[in-house]
Structure formats: structure tokens, C-alpha cells
Amino acid sequence: MKQKKKQGSFIRLIKYMFHYYPVQLIVVMVCIIINSIASVAATAFLQRLIDECITPGITSGMGAVWSKLVSILITMGCIYVLGVVAAFIYTRIMAVVTQGMLKHFRTDMFDHMETLPIRYFDTHAHGDIMSTYTNDTDALRQMIGQSLPQMFHAILAMISIIALMLYYSLWLTLVVVVFAVAMLLITEKFGGASSHYMVAQQQSLADEEGFIEEIMDGQKVVKVFCHEEDSKEDFVKLNDKLFEDSKKAHTYGNILGPILNNVGNLMYVILALVGAVLVYFRVTNIGLAGIGIISTGIIVSFLSLARQFSQTISQISMQVSMIAMGIAGAGRVFELMDEEPEQDEGYVTLVNAQRDEHGNLTEADHVTGLWAWKHPHKESQSVTYTELKGDIQMDHVDFGYEPDTLVLHDISLYAKPGQKIAFVGATGAGKTTITNLINRFYDIEDGKIRYDGININKIKKPDLRHSLGIVLQDVNLFTGTVMENIRYGRLDATDEECIAAAKLTNADSFITRLPNGYQTELSGNGSSLSQGQRQLISIARAAVANPPCMILDEATSSIDTRTETLVQDGMDNLMEGKTVFVIAHRLSTVRNSQAIMVLDHGRIIERGSHDALISEKGTYYQLYTGAFELE
Ligand SMILES: Nc1ncnc2c1ncn2[C@@H]1O[C@H](COP(=O)(O)OP(=O)(O)OP(=O)(O)O)[C@@H](O)[C@H]1O
Ligand SMILES: [Mg+2]
């Protein structure tokens, strides 16, 4: 199974390369063929040089020998030059192909990663995903740039060497074959071990990188709890593992070369001995039945071929572990590319709309400020338009992150445009989960969610998310200016619109006090700002999108109550006629909501207005008056 997967990755890698660089790779292959044949062919002329010029030189006329010598030397020179030119061309092309392939790999991986559902990121360590982009592509670089061309070259050279050897002498070739088998066995033993540890080293490196990343992110926590020494110890363990794997990988790899060289030398000596015996038979004219009698030139050429042969085997052995690493890397890269993308079977889209003279909605080709859901009907071949209002309804919704453990049970609620719905409840009650379902980060198990009367499964996900303004519980700011971070909410917003949104959400006053105002550069998730300031930016970001429905998940949790009131006033203006879902732990945030849903272990246990719930003296009353603790 594992073997099959490896072969699969290898073949897929080759296909992938040919997909992007067919012409270049064919040129490279032709050049490698020329180069490897040239290096063997030059040796063949060595034999002619000795047998036709040097040996007879003593007896025959000098003139004839000289002209032959010159012609052979010129031919040899031409072959060498051809080989060098071919090598020059293919190494140049391969440098471009290798870097180009890495670029394509990274782009394709990233493009694919952006199609993956949130669930993928929940279930995979981020350091591990990162290492696919760094370590695994680096292993691929080695393999594509070095190992593959060298292997191809080596295999061709071996075939031509063996062919030429057979042409010269069957018996001497047999000696070489015996040694070749021994060398391959040695390569398998030591090279196999080296490959095993090379692949292990790759994993250890990924683990170590993941650890460093985690410790850097959590540096404050490490310091607060004085865990510096512990983290050093943990690091030493990981680092030792990496050292052990790398040490073994390189030890086995390094001893392989000298062993093969010595076996090669032994072969050289034995060939020279056997060859000498055969030449002796020729000189003394003692014919041996069945054993070809050979010339000095053949022996010299043969020895030179044998040298090339053992060098080629050494070359292959050096590449074995690189190829194992490359294939393992390719396997992980393809694994990421094969992850099931987020499915979107939606066909209802969001379009600009306008009203005709009869008051009916029609599609407009420009921004009108009015939006409609375009709903094509297959059976009747017609299209209906429904105004985007932000009317959300949930009917008996069940949901679980894992198939067999439900987090939400039988949730039913409705929110009319202009209404503010609040979710309250203890930590882990399922508040964020409900909002994750509205924007379809996850799909529900049972029940229905309707948006303006349309089942949200029918709405294209990007269009659905476009219609929602979401302030997530975890604030994420990107590297760039404050302005750019606000504009993230709607990329075509002008500077004025961004500033207006910031003013509305009361972010403007602190932004203008920053050293460069709206042009202040943020990095490291906005770590130079306070938690509350980061939240204000993320609220402004949602406000600039100006969607008909807003989801604010603990959006004001780090903002002081005075600023919060200002933010709320601004938001209330913005939110007129729009649906707002708020999740908050603070009474002040939720008390002016039309409906408050109290969640407990994934069920709505109370619902109603603030006053009604307070007078009920139930869970809501306990949560917000502290009566819970008092009792
Ligand atoms: N990605 C996830 N995978 C698996 N389970 C999850 C995931 N996210 C949340 N849960 C679980 O779902 C339950 C509800 O979590 P949720 O985030 O909705 O709580 P919450 O009400 O928003 O809490 P808080 O007030 O702390 O934000 C929790 O028990 C939590 O363990
Ligand atoms: Mg939450």
C-alpha cells in the first residue's frame, strides 16, 4: 500500500512537471541522452587510439598513423565538446524548471488551501501545514533539480556502458556484472537506512519548527508562568531527536560512498588482472576456446568504462535518499492538494437590483444600493428576484462538530430585519457555533436555516458571506496600514468611506492619535495596539461593508463601557433596518435587543426581552445579576 502510494506520488510528480514544462523537459532529456552517450563514446575512441595508432605506431609508417591520430583526436574532441554543450544547456534549463516548479507547487497549494473548509484548519496543526510549504518543497527542489536529472543520466550511462562492454568482451562484462550486483546490494542496505532516517529527519524538523512557532506565539504565557526552563528542556528533546535522525541519515549516507569506491577499486584491479591474462594469451598466441582474445586498447577502454561504471553507481547511491525524501515531500504536498475543497452546491446569487415602473425587482448592471437574491428555477426555466433584507430563520437546527456529538439541539429562532437578537449563555454554550452556521463555516445536521425565505444551502457561499458583516470573536489584523485593514471589509471602499466607518464605530478618535494616523503600519496581528483598539478596527471593518445583516461575536468585550455606548450609538445608526446578532457577556450590550436567547448546553432555554427575562428570574437573571454566585 505504502509502496503503491510512493509510486503514485512519483508518477504524479513527473506528470505534474510535464504539465507545466513539456518542451523544456523534452529538451533536457535529449541533452542528457547526448551527454551520457558522449561520455561513453569518447571512451570507445580511446580503444581505437591505442589499437590503431599507438600499438602499430612502432612498425607501420609514421604518416598514416599521424593522420589517423589527428582524426581520432579531433572526433574525440568534438564528442567531448558536444557533451559539455549538452550539459550546459540542460543544467541551465533545469535551474529554471526547478524554481518554476516550486513556484507552481506553492501557488497551487495556496490556491487549494484557500478552497478548504474551516474544518480542515480545525483538525490540522498549523506548523505542520507550514512545513509543507517550506521543508517539503525544499525536498522537492533537491529532487527535481539534482536527483532526477542525475538518475536519468546515470541510468542511460549504465546502459551505454554495459552495451559497449558487451561489444568488447563478454567475460570481462560478467566480472563487472558480479561487482555491480554487489554494489547495488550495498546501496540498498546503507542507502535504504539513510533514506529512512532522511525522511524521519524531515518529520523531526517539522515538529521542531512547530514547537518554535508555538513558543514564539505564546512567549508572554511562557514568561508569566516562568516556563522558560521547561520549554528549553522540551526543545532539547526535539532537537536531540532531529540530531539523531540527521546523524544517522548522514552517517549511513557518508559511509556508502567510500565503501562503493573501494569495491569499485577492487573491481578495477580484478579487471586489470583478468584483462592482462587475456592479452597475454593474444601475445603468446595461446588460443583458449570460447574466450575472446582482446587487445591492449580494449583493456584500457574497458578499465576506463569500469571506472565510469562504479562512479555512476556511486552517483545513483548518493541520490537514493534524496529521492526518498523528495517522494515523501511530494506525497505530503499532494496530500494537501487532494484535501476535499469546501463544497458549494448553491446556485442562488446576490445581484444589484432596481425596481421597474410596476415596482418589480429587476437585475441592474450597476451598484444601486439595492440588492436581490437571484433564484433560477430549473423546472420552469424562470428566474425570481427576492430583495435582500436580512431576514433569518432557524427551524429545529441540530449540529455537531463531530458527527456523533451534538453541540446544538433543536434551535429555532427568527430575526426580522431591523431586529437585534442577542445570544447569551455560559462559556461553551454554543453561541459562536450558531453564528458559524449562519455563515456556513459548517453545515447543519438537521433542520433548516432560511435567509430571506431561501434555504441557505441554495445560496452560493461567497454571496451569502458577502451579505453578512461579521465581527469574529478572535480579532485578526493583517500586515498593512490601519486603512488597509478597515478596507478589508469591502475592497472597493474609498478612504472617505473607511474613515466614515471608523467615525461611526468610534475607532476614529484613537486612530487619529496614532503616530501616522490611518497610515500606521500594523504587523504581527496588530500587536502594537491594545485589545480594545484592535476590536474597534475590526468593528469598523464590518461597518465599511455595510451589509444587511451583522453578526457581532463578543465584539465589544475588551472595550470600556463608555466607548461601548458610543460604538453602540454609531452601530445603531448604521444598523437601522438591518438584522443584528450580538453575542455578549455584558448586560449593557444586550439589554436593548428585541429578543434575547439564553443558551445552555446547546439548547435555547429562555427567550424574550430583557425586562421579561429579568422578571422571570431564570438563568438570564442569574447570569446578569450575579445571583448565580450569591445563591
Ligand atoms: N472547532 C470545533 N471543533 C469541535 N468542537 C468545537 C469547536 N468549536 C467549538 N466546539 C465545541 O462546541 C461547544 C460550543 O462552543 P462555542 O464556541 O459555540 O461556545 P460559546 O458559547 O461561543 O462560548 P464562549 O462564550 O466561550 O465564546 C463547546 O463545547 C466547544 O467545545
Ligand atoms: Mg464564542
Side-chain angles (χ1 to χ4, degrees):
M1 180 65 204
K2 219 173 166 186
Q3 194 61 30
K4 235 183 179 164
K5 202 177 151 199
K6 271 189 199 166
Q7 276 175 7
S9 303
F10 184 73
I11 292 169
R12 209 165 143 190
L13 175 70
I14 302 290
K15 280 190 187 157
Y16 211 78
M17 289 169 64
F18 271 94
H19 171 74
Y20 283 111
Y21 295 102
V23 181
Q24 289 90 330
L25 287 175
I26 288 171
V27 175
V28 165
M29 283 167 71
V30 171
C31 286
I32 293 181
I33 292 173
I34 294 174
N35 178 267
S36 49
I37 292 180
S39 60
V40 178
T43 315
F45 279 90
L46 201 61
Q47 178 258 329
R48 284 188 55 196
L49 196 70
I50 295 169
D51 286 348
E52 292 174 27
C53 306
I54 298 174
T55 318
I58 314 153
T59 47
S60 61
M62 281 308 279
V65 171
W66 266 113
S67 66
K68 209 167 211 169
L69 184 69
V70 170
S71 90
I72 288 177
L73 282 179
I74 289 176
T75 320
M76 274 176 87
C78 289
I79 292 175
Y80 274 124
V81 169
L82 192 67
V84 169
V85 170
F88 178 75
I89 294 175
Y90 89 73
T91 43
R92 288 286 296 255
I93 297 180
M94 270 326 275
V96 178
V97 170
T98 308
Q99 297 307 325
M101 279 310 298
L102 295 191
K103 184 184 119 184
H104 286 299
F105 268 120
R106 286 188 297 254
T107 313
D108 291 355
M109 274 197 292
F110 193 81
D111 284 354
H112 189 74
M113 192 179 82
E114 287 298 282
T115 68
L116 296 181
I118 292 289
R119 197 179 287 281
Y120 174 78
F121 299 95
D122 284 352
T123 47
H124 289 77
H126 293 186
D128 230 31
I129 305 176
M130 239 357 260
S131 99
T132 315
Y133 285 91
T134 53
N135 294 335
D136 292 336
T137 45
D138 195 56
L140 279 175
R141 179 183 61 78
Q142 294 256 5
M143 172 152 150
I144 297 172
Q146 277 180 24
S147 312
L148 285 183
Q150 283 202 16
M151 279 300 255
F152 186 59
H153 184 277
I155 288 167
L156 283 176
M158 297 251 282
I159 294 172
S160 356
I161 291 172
I162 297 262
L164 192 58
M165 281 177 162
L166 278 173
Y167 169 74
Y168 283 148
S169 160
L170 174 68
W171 291 103
L172 286 183
T173 310
L174 282 179
V175 176
V176 173
V177 168
V178 170
F179 275 93
V181 171
M183 284 164 129
L184 288 179
L185 287 178
I186 293 168
T187 303
E188 199 195 348
K189 176 144 180 53
F190 289 93
S194 167
S195 316
H196 170 81
Y197 286 109
M198 279 281 185
V199 174
Q201 169 199 309
Q202 205 57 359
Q203 185 56 49
S204 308
L205 192 61
D207 292 345
E208 184 167 317
E209 278 181 7
F211 181 80
I212 297 174
E213 192 188 322
E214 199 170 289
I215 293 296
M216 280 196 298
D217 286 348
Q219 196 50 230
K220 283 183 186 159
V221 181
V222 172
K223 291 221 185 321
V224 163
F225 291 99
C226 306
H227 275 305
E228 288 96 334
E229 290 306 318
D230 297 322
S231 59
K232 275 189 214 163
E233 261 168 44
D234 290 343
F235 182 76
V236 165
K237 274 184 212 145
L238 286 171
N239 209 14
D240 280 347
K241 169 89 173 61
L242 175 59
F243 168 68
E244 281 301 319
D245 289 338
S246 320
K247 185 183 74 183
K248 284 184 183 144
H250 288 99
T251 313
Y252 282 115
N254 289 353
I255 49 177
L256 183 59
I259 293 179
L260 287 182
N261 278 345
N262 283 318
V263 176
N265 289 341
L266 191 64
M267 175 170 83
Y268 196 81
V269 172
I270 291 186
L271 276 178
L273 274 177
V274 176
V277 171
L278 292 179
V279 174
Y280 173 75
F281 285 146
R282 187 180 74 104
V283 175
T284 53
N285 279 330
I286 305 171
L288 270 175
I291 298 181
I293 286 172
I294 56 176
S295 64
T296 321
I298 288 181
I299 291 295
V300 175
S301 283
F302 211 99
L303 287 176
S304 168
L305 285 176
R307 218 348 128 242
Q308 277 187 34
F309 190 83
S310 54
Q311 275 168 1
T312 310
I313 291 193
S314 287
Q315 249 182 32
I316 293 181
S317 72
M318 290 297 172
Q319 300 308 325
V320 169
S321 47
M322 294 291 169
I323 288 194
M325 248 167 85
I327 291 178
R332 273 190 294 264
V333 168
F334 288 133
E335 206 171 291
L336 173 63
M337 288 189 189
D338 289 344
E339 282 293 334
E340 187 79 18
E342 186 169 16
Q343 298 298 323
D344 192 0
E345 62 291 351
Y347 52 88
V348 176
T349 50
L350 194 61
V351 294
N352 284 299
Q354 60 196 17
R355 291 197 184 276
D356 61 12
E357 58 272 25
H358 308 294
N360 294 326
L361 277 178
T362 54
E363 197 170 338
D365 53 6
H366 57 281
V367 181
T368 52
L370 185 67
W371 296 88
W373 297 110
K374 181 181 179 179
H375 195 158
H377 301 276
K378 260 202 198 120
E379 302 86 45
S380 55
Q381 297 281 322
S382 60
V383 177
T384 50
Y385 293 94
T386 316
E387 190 184 341
L388 169 69
K389 287 185 177 148
D391 179 323
I392 290 183
Q393 192 177 348
M394 285 194 175
D395 270 337
H396 306 287
V397 171
D398 288 340
F399 170 76
Y401 289 98
E402 309 297 336
D404 41 350
T405 45
L406 282 189
V407 170
L408 293 180
H409 307 264
D410 198 26
I411 300 288
S412 292
L413 59 92
Y414 59 85
K416 294 284 171 209
Q419 279 189 334
K420 188 169 168 186
I421 311 289
F423 295 112
V424 300
T427 284
K431 305 178 295 288
T432 302
T433 307
I434 291 189
T435 62
N436 280 343
L437 299 183
I438 297 175
N439 60 35
R440 287 194 71 199
F441 277 169
Y442 301 92
D443 282 327
I444 55 177
E445 218 117 292
D446 204 5
K448 278 215 171 67
I449 304 180
R450 290 204 179 79
Y451 194 150
D452 291 327
I454 305 164
N455 185 338
I456 59 165
N457 290 344
K458 293 183 184 168
I459 302 177
K460 262 196 168 319
K461 282 181 182 172
D463 294 54
L464 172 71
R465 290 172 191 162
H466 218 80
S467 74
L468 300 165
I470 306 174
V471 179
L472 295 170
Q473 189 164 8
D474 308 315
V475 177
N476 261 307
L477 299 180
F478 297 100
T479 303
T481 62
V482 171
M483 185 71 92
E484 283 163 356
N485 268 287
I486 296 177
R487 190 174 289 126
Y488 207 83
R490 182 161 59 86
L491 294 179
D492 58 2
T494 60
D495 283 2
E496 289 70 37
E497 285 172 313
C498 292
I499 294 170
K503 284 196 170 132
L504 194 68
T505 53
N506 206 37
D508 180 74
S509 59
F510 97 81
I511 296 173
T512 44
R513 269 184 274 118
L514 290 174
N516 291 317
Y518 282 88
Q519 298 310 322
T520 307
E521 287 284 341
L522 301 179
S523 60
N525 200 7
S527 52
S528 56
L529 300 178
S530 79
Q531 199 76 14
Q533 289 169 335
R534 295 170 51 207
Q535 260 181 356
L536 286 174
I537 292 185
S538 78
I539 298 171
R541 180 194 280 166
V544 84
N546 197 11
C549 179
M550 279 280 236
I551 297 173
L552 310 172
D553 193 352
E554 314 266 12
T556 50
S557 61
S558 309
I559 296 169
D560 64 278
T561 25
R562 203 183 66 85
T563 311
E564 193 197 339
T565 320
L566 291 171
V567 172
Q568 263 180 20
D569 290 347
M571 293 294 273
D572 285 349
N573 298 335
L574 175 77
M575 286 292 123
E576 240 173 47
K578 294 175 186 178
T579 315
V580 190
F581 291 97
V582 287
I583 299 172
H585 282 141
R586 272 200 236 160
L587 190 61
S588 54
T589 318
V590 297
R591 70 186 309 164
N592 67 344
S593 308
Q594 270 78 18
I596 296 167
M597 313 273 162
V598 184
L599 279 170
D600 183 40
H601 293 102
R603 291 175 204 277
I604 298 182
I605 52 164
E606 286 171 25
R607 65 177 81 205
S609 68
H610 171 76
D611 296 337
L613 289 177
I614 288 290
S615 59
E616 249 176 49
K617 298 219 162 165
T619 309
Y620 181 76
Y621 177 81
Q622 291 173 342
L623 271 171
Y624 287 103
T625 55
F628 217 35
E629 287 94 326
L630 294 177
E631 273 170 14

